[in-house]
Amino acid sequence: MRHTEFWARMEQALGSSYARSWAMSFVMRELDGRTAIEALDAGVPPKEVWLAVWRTLELPATQK
């Protein structure tokens, strides 16, 4: 997964105006206490970050 696909999925799940805000502020234990943006900046693959987001938000399997 590329970063562009990650952000497209984030916007689909949370809306274009809220996705980046959520990714900057919501800390996930699954990402070692980092936000999605912090994890991406640290080099965590976008697919791994997306799966953490997907589980956290309890999104449907169709969005996995």
Side-chain angles (χ1 to χ4, degrees):
M1 172 184 290
R2 296 175 184 232
H3 286 251
T4 54
E5 184 179 348
F6 170 82
W7 287 112
R9 289 181 182 208
M10 288 291 290
E11 289 179 7
Q12 180 184 12
L14 296 169
S16 59
S17 61
Y18 186 55
R20 289 195 186 264
S21 175
W22 188 91
M24 286 176 30
S25 61
F26 193 89
V27 174
M28 290 176 271
R29 181 176 28 179
E30 188 172 345
L31 295 175
D32 297 325
R34 295 180 286 201
T35 66
I37 288 181
E38 289 170 337
L40 291 170
D41 288 347
V44 178
K47 181 67 174 182
E48 188 176 326
V49 177
W50 171 251
L51 290 175
V53 170
W54 178 79
R55 285 187 283 272
T56 298
L57 295 176
E58 299 179 351
L59 296 171
T62 57
Q63 291 184 309
K64 189 174 184 184

